[in-house]
Structures are given as C-alpha cells and as structure tokens.
Amino acid sequence: MLDSYLHVKHAARPDWNLIEKKWRNIWDEQKIFESDPDSTKHKYLVTVAYPYPNSPQHIGHGRTYTLADAHARYKRMRGNNVLFPMGFHYTGTPILAMSRRLVSGDMDLYNTFRNVYGVPSEVIESFNEPVNIARFFHQEIKEGMKEMGFSIDWRREFTTIDEAFSKFIAWQFNLLKKKGLIIQGSHPVGWCPRDQNPVSQHDTLGDIEPIFIEYTLVKFYLNDTYVLPVATLRPETVYGVTNLWVNPHVKYVVARVGEGNEPMWIISHDAVLKLKHQGHNVDINHEIDGTKLVGQYVRNPITQNSLPIYPASFVDPKDGSGLVMSVPAHAPYDYQALLDFTNGNSSKEMHNHEIVKPITIIESEGYEGDNVVPSQIIIERLGVEDQHDPLLEKATSELYSHEFYKGRLKENTGKYAGMMVSEAKDLIRSELLQNGIGEILYEFVKKPVKCRCGEECVVKVLNDQWFLKYSEAQWKDLAHECINRMDIVPDEIRSEFNYVVDWLKERACARKSGLGTRLPWDQGWIIESLSDSVIYTAYYIISRYIHFDDDNNIPAQNLTESLFDYVFLGEGSSKRISEETTLSEELICNMRTEFTYFYPVDTRHSGRDLVPNHLTFFVFNHVAIFDRAYWPRQIVVNGSVLMDGKKMSKSFGNIIPLRQAVREHSADTIRVAMLSSAELLQDADFSFEALRGIRSRLDDIYQMGIHLSSSDNIQKSLKQLYHSQDVTESEDKWILSMMQRRIRDATELMDRLRVREVLHTILYSMEQDLQWYNKRIRSKGRFDLLVNTILSMFLETRIKLIAPFAPFLASEVWNSIVGDAAKIKEDLDWPGVVEEYTDPATEESEDLIKNLIQDIQNILKVTKMKPTCVNIYTSAKWKWKVYQRILELIIANRNSSLSDVMRALGENSEISQARSDVKLVKKIMEDVLSIPAERRSLKLNIKNLDELMAIEDAASLISSELGDLNLEISVFSEDEEEAKKNDPKSKARSSRPFKPAIYLI
Ligand SMILES: [Zn+2]
C-alpha cells in the first residue's frame, strides 16, 4: 500500500467543482452553520463588514471574507458555538448613480457589466430601476459566498432597506438623539458640488475617505490697503516669519471678503471657491499678476515687522490661499527653499532681493543655544539635498512633533515666552481669531478628492445639517476605553484607531437622496450609509425571528422602540411589551436571551481602508448604546489584493470575477492563495502561477488521503492508540514529535491570525517532514503497520490543520477516511498536542543526520572524491560536558567572553582539560551562539545525545543519500579504543557535540 502511495503523484486530478457542490449540499442539509444558543458551549460571534451590492464580487473582495471564514471555522473546530452571519448594504447613493449612468447610455459601464461580469442584457435593462441592481448583485454575491464555502448562517440575512431593519435604525437614531449625540448645526463636510450632497468614502473615486483638517488663515497687511491671508497649521510660528512666498506665474484676485469692513483680500482663484463653500461672501474685484506682488513688503499682524514678498514657483495656488508664509527656522521646506534660492538654483527669481535670516522662536531638547536654527540641524542630519528631496517630509513631521511636545517658546515671542508650544498654539490661534487677524480654513489632507460622478470635492460648511457629535469629549473617552481594552490584530494598528478617535469631529449623518431609512424626526432626510451600518451586528442576532419565513415574518409595525429597548438594553417588562406589540412573551424573551448569549461581537473583520471611518464609528456607536459587557472584543484588519502586482481595476483589465475564479481554480485554491501570500496588513499579490502551485500542493494532499484511506488497515490503525513506548524506531518518534511541534506552532499562530505562517507550516514545513520520513522508512525497507498508522496520523493532523483554509479538501479526505459524513462536524476538530509524543532528543538526532549528510555532500563537492568508505567520529563524553557547561553559561549571559568560559571550565576538574584546546572551546562557543535562543534551553535538557546509535540507525539512508548504496559507513566514538585504530588522520580530535568528524577513504 505504501509503495502505491509513493507513486500516486501522476494520478488523475480530482474534479473540485463536483466535490465542492457535494459538500455545499451536505453542509446545507445538516444545517452545520446554523447556530442557536447553547449554554454548554462558548459562543463566538464572527462578523465582517457586509458587502455593497452594486457589482459582483471580484477576487479583490474575497480576502476579508475568506479570512473571517477561516477564523470562524478555526473557532468552530476548537469547540466554540460560532455564529457567522451576513447581510447586504443597499443604503446610499452609489446604486442610484449607477442606475442613472445606465439610463443615460453609459456604454463603458454597460460593457463592464456585460463583458467582465457576464450579466445578461435583459437583466441590465431592468437596472433602470435602481433597486434591481442591488437585488441582482445581492444574489450574485451570495452565490459566490456559498461557492467559496463561507460558513454563514443564512437564516439571519437581511438588507438595509428592509422595513424591519429601518425600524431598528430609527430606534438607534432616536436613542442617540436622546443622548444628545445627534445635533443640527453648521459644520464642515466633504461635499460634491455637482450632486449637492455630502460625500464619504462610499461616494469617492478610489474609495478615499475625505479627511480634512483645520488651518488658521493669518492676515498679513500690505500698506493697510490689502489683506494677504496665509494658511498655516502652526499659528505659533507667526513670530518667526521672515517673508512671504508668492507664485509669480499665477494670476491672483483682489476680492472683497465677508461684510466688507476690512481691506480687500489678495488670494488665488482656488481660494475664492474654498472660502465661498466655507461660508464667506466673496466678491472678486479684479485680477492681479503674482509678479506685481514680488518685492512688496507686508506687515506681520502680531510682531508688526515689515517682511518682503519673494517669488517662488513651488507655491501651489490650490493650497491654502495661494500665498505662503516662510518660517525658515522651524519649517524645513522654507529653510531649504531659502537655501536653494541663495545658492543660485533660482537665482534669477532671487535677483535684487536682500537675503533674510531665519528667526528662531522655539527652543527644545537637542535644539538649544543662541545661534541654533532647528531646520538647519535636521536638514543636515538627514542629508536633505534640495527642496524636491522626499526626506524633507520626514524632517518636517519629525521637527513638528518634537517641537509640539517638547518645544518652549523663546524670549522673542512676547507674552508667550517660556510657554510650551502645545499650550501656546491654541492661545495664539484664539488671539488671531478673536482680533479678526485670523480665520479658519478647512483643507483635505490628501488632494484631490473626486466624487464618483467625476467632480472634484470640496470642504463645505453646511448649515442645518444633522450631525453625529463625534467631537463630544466624553464620547471620545469611552471610544478610547473600548479600543484600549480591545484586541486589535495586528496590534500595530491600535494607535491609528486612537488617532482617528481624537481626530473625528461632527459628521454629517443624513442626505437628501439615496436609499435607506428616513430620519425619524425629520422625514426630509435619509440616514447615510456609514451611519446605518455601525451596530447592525446586533440586529443579526434577532433577524432570524423577524424574517422567519414569508408567512411568519414579524410585521414591521410590531417592532416598537420598547421592544428594541428590551431586547438590546434589557429595559422594560416583557409582559407589557407583549401587550403593546401583540407578539408572544416567549418570542420576546427568546430574542433577549439570544442577544445576551451571542453578543458582544467577538471579532470584526474588515479591510484597512475602513479604519478611519466604519470601524471607528462601529466602536463609537457601540459605546454610546450598549453596556460595557456588549462592547466589541476584537477587530482584525487586513490589506487588499493585487493582481500580478497591480491594483485590480477596470482600466488595467485585470478584474477577475470571484465565481469565475472558483469555477476555474477551485474554491480551496483561491482561499489558500488569498491567505498565504501576504502578512495581514500587506497587500496580497495574486497571480495565476501562484494559484497553479497551490492547487498542485492541495491535489497532492488529496491524493495521499485517498490512497491511504483505500488501505484495509486504515480503519483499524486510526482507531488504534499508540503509546510512546510502542514506538521504538527513531524516524517514527521523530515524525510524531514533529507533528506535535507543527500543531503547537499552527495553534499559536492561528490565535494571532498569522495565517500566512500557519499555511506555510502546513503546506511546506509539513511537506518537508513527510519527505524526510519517507526517505528514512524507504532506506530501511519498512512497510509495516506502524508506518501505515503513523502516515494516517500525519494525514489526519494535516487535514485538520488545513480544514479552516481548505474546507472542501478537508471534508472530502476526512470523509474518505472515516466514511461518515454525518459526523464530520464533531470529528473534524482542531488537533491538540499530545505531550507524550513530544521528543526533543529525537528531533535533535534527526537534525544531526540531516546536517551530517549535508556536511559529507559538501566535502564530496569540494574534493570531487569517490570514496568507498566513510568514517564518522562522534565526540567523547567530556566534550559533551564542556558543551553543556558552555550552553549554561551562554543561556545565563549571552555575552560571556572566552575568558569567562575558560575560567568556568577550570572550576570543574572533569572538563578542565578543555582549557588546553582553545580552538575547540571557541568552536563550541560559536556552535552554541548559532542556535536560536529559544532552542538553547531545549538542548540543555537533552544532556547527552547518543550520536553513535543515531548515525548507525541511519547508515543505509546516508549511503543512499550520497548516491552509493555500497558505500561503507563506519561510526566510532572518540572514547573507544576502536576509534584510535581507525583514525589515521586523527580526525576524532576535532569532533564536537552535534558535529561529528568525518574521514573519507
Ligand atoms: Zn458627485
């Protein structure tokens, strides 16, 4: 049987589509993924950001869901009562916009649907009704999820435009309003001027979150007849301004801004638009060339100093006001620009202008002293070359944050002298604003932000809009608390969450158009898509009662606010609610019980792009509505998927619909490829070559399974329990021990969701283990029952470990072994480590053999010898004692020196002889230092390895690996007389523990 297994590599490939279909049916019939409360088991609620069905899933969409599913399956295999629900997000304007584009004859969009996704033309025609788009792709995506094998409890499915769901959202919004967290007012939002609607990530091209920040516009005065406003994030540096920069190639405008009681402003055309959107009246009087401003002088509104205006082509009219203030001492860009100008890079522009000197106004650690210019120091330290050097960005942010946290204002800053920058910054800003010499200007952090309609978005100050008050300090505190006690995977992203919580301000939560739920108190508004999808994870728990089936749905009008209060908050009495809603008291109590059983969310999976919006809102809304016991416990964030190194996009023509990929490559292959090619936060690079490689590995595992299971002995052997004393052969002990190591590693890695490494362990490390084992048994000619059993155990372990990733393969092979599909849920559990089989000494001795073979092969390669005999000398006992002593010393102190070691060896008469062989001691020290630290103590426990026996046991393998079965392998211990007789070159002397000496004849 074994022999046949070894020759199965070229057998026919399995038909995965058929196998997948079979298992989908079995899972469905057995309702294996339908989870109900079960007090005997730990519950585990897995959720993923639900899909927006405006196009089918392509490969790029699959990663987050696949990771969540592998996570769900892993937790299920570990005995948890896992619930993995799914819904569909219809809310918002993108579906409306898409329908409109089709109606208006957009052939580009039509062809994408028709040719890339293969949507039938009559179906596309029905898309003139927007909801038909959502319904169609909803089904497409759902089928794709089933085909991928996602272990979803479909009884809990809903869409965000279901009437019942709208009731739930209205409840959520009324609750937030009662708590004072929804307000009406004037606040800035990202805005599409064409659509006349606020924009969020869902509405922008490239799904960019429109993040903006608040600048201070500082007003400089030209002859008191003009205002030259300049935008800055560091208003405190107004004391250090040496000059303004103006772009001589730009046409500026002279305009009346505001009520008209101050001089006219000089600003760029772009700045006019910005100011208008942000609530200022602006009347353009006339245009003025930038060159006209060059050489003029302005007055600093704070210091009253007179400052020159210099020409600079780097000034972008789209940034701020189109004018820039120069603070060379504290802004590395300004310093470098000044340097480049005076060094002649732009000497033409600088012609005839006096050279200004930087004014240092902040002192901080490392930047102290009278003539110190911080920008200069940091520029020189980083080696910045010119003003186009990307290092300037680094210099700027480093100096900015250093001075913000550690800087103190110097004497030349008037009443602020001696104050910390972090403290003075806001005071100076308030002074500017209060005295009318400063204004607020909002700017996007990353520009341009484009709406899906193609229009460039702006920051608009909206009046009478409804806002979620994410600026509320107490709310922020709770959100921080939740984030800080939550498990965030990977942890490095935690600070990003805290940053977003700090940064978030009021956020527009309603729109005038789109699909969704109307604001309960102001029906002219529709709740926007990122606001109605923050606590829907709670709705999953009860949705199976509401959408029971077509005949037994709970009518939406029975879903009262007091019902939701009872189910989600535990408020009120079930009896009274039963009377009010006409629902049975039992049903109401069941909903409450189910909620308290399954909530909170144990893990939430999402792509990294949702950190600054959805995931943070998810936290905010949970802490506002639910008790601490129901706050989410974990967030897992992953990177996106690239195709052959490129972002997937229509313009690259590299979009691959998920369902098509499953048909062509099998679901398991795609699942494994998605999760094995990158660390969590990295982008996963997909390629067909990688897919083929993975498929062939999975096929090999399948073949091995099918062949082993066809053996008569398999049933018996699998059930037979072996005790370690029954196992005597080194390779058997070794592979059993390695299995435990692989299980331990995979479990630890899986707990931290380091799935790439888990898959590497299963697919590659275990493959190497298997190959080594095969070599060992073959060289001994073993084909016994024990081998058969051990191979079955190995297969069993591997199948179990791979099951969360390749569930179809695992189910099929498992079933072929056990032959009972009905029990697959219980039997296919995550393997535990059997300590009895753990055998570090045997792992070391097999490593010894591997290294020995490699050493001999290297010698043969170098010497080109054709030996007839190989003599191997293992080291004397006293050398093992020396080795142990050195190991102890280095474990205790990694930096032990040769003299420390020599001294320690001298303290023990048994090993003091080693002191006469400094070379040997040095070599042993090197050996020990080259062992990974975590393995050192393991080696210490091994004490004395019987190398002689290990090598003799593997003699036949050594000769076969060296390609000569007649090669005579002789092993001697340095301690024995026999060794001296057979050691003409005194090789035994150089032997060391784990490093036998070799002599070829
Ligand atoms: Zn637009």
Side-chain angles (χ1 to χ4, degrees), residues 158-171 517 539 542-543 545-547 553-560 563-564 568:
F158 63 86
T159 86
T160 58
I161 60 166
D162 294 350
E163 229 183 310
F165 185 76
S166 281
K167 286 280 187 183
F168 169 72
I169 294 302
W171 168 77
T517 304
Y539 186 79
I542 59 161
S543 66
Y545 293 99
I546 296 169
H547 309 265
N553 285 350
I554 299 179
Q557 71 263 20
N558 291 352
L559 298 168
T560 61
L563 174 72
F564 290 128
F568 296 122

Side-chain angles (χ1 to χ4, degrees), residues 192 194-195 451-453 455:
C192 170
R194 184 186 294 171
D195 297 337
C451 177
R452 280 178 192 260
C453 74
E455 188 80 0

Side-chain angles (χ1 to χ4, degrees), residues 41 63 81 116 265 292 303 355 517 592 643 679 773 805 808 818 844 854 856 930:
K41 279 179 164 182
R63 186 177 176 195
N81 185 18
V116 179
W265 290 24
K292 290 264 169 60
T303 64
I355 304 304
T517 304
R592 171 69 185 163
M643 189 73 210
E679 301 292 352
Y773 183 68
F805 308 99
F808 296 106
V818 181
E844 288 295 342
Q854 209 163 42
I856 301 174
S930 71

Side-chain angles (χ1 to χ4, degrees), residues 191-197 199 203 450-457:
W191 178 263
C192 170
R194 184 186 294 171
D195 297 337
Q196 292 286 304
N197 242 340
V199 287
D203 311 303
K450 291 212 163 164
C451 177
R452 280 178 192 260
C453 74
E455 188 80 0
E456 188 166 336
C457 299

Side-chain angles (χ1 to χ4, degrees), residues 28 81 247 310 335 488 523 579 582 602 698 791 924 973:
D28 263 1
N81 185 18
N247 191 328
Y310 287 168
Y335 184 88
I488 292 184
Q523 297 277 319
E579 285 159 14
T582 72
D602 291 282
L698 296 181
L791 282 173
I924 293 182
S973 162

Side-chain angles (χ1 to χ4, degrees), residues 16 20 24 27 33 59 62-74 76-77 84 144-152 641 658 661-662 665-678 684-686 690-691 694-695 698 750 755-756 759 763 801-811:
W16 284 113
E20 286 163 5
R24 284 200 308 270
W27 294 336
F33 308 127
I59 280 194
R63 186 177 176 195
T64 311
Y65 296 111
T66 305
L67 179 64
D69 184 62
H71 192 186
R73 286 177 175 273
Y74 168 68
R76 208 175 276 123
M77 288 177 77
F84 180 17
M145 287 178 162
K146 287 183 170 176
E147 285 163 6
M148 282 289 281
F150 297 158
S151 54
I152 293 168
V641 180
L658 191 65
V662 169
H665 303 277
S666 95
D668 285 345
T669 305
I670 295 190
R671 291 171 63 107
V672 171
M674 278 192 186
L675 300 185
S676 65
S677 67
D685 195 2
F686 227 68
L691 277 182
I694 285 166
R695 168 125 188 209
L698 296 181
M750 201 59 204
V755 288
R756 191 188 72 85
L759 280 163
L763 292 178
L801 293 177
I802 208 170
F805 308 99
F808 296 106
L809 166 79
S811 301

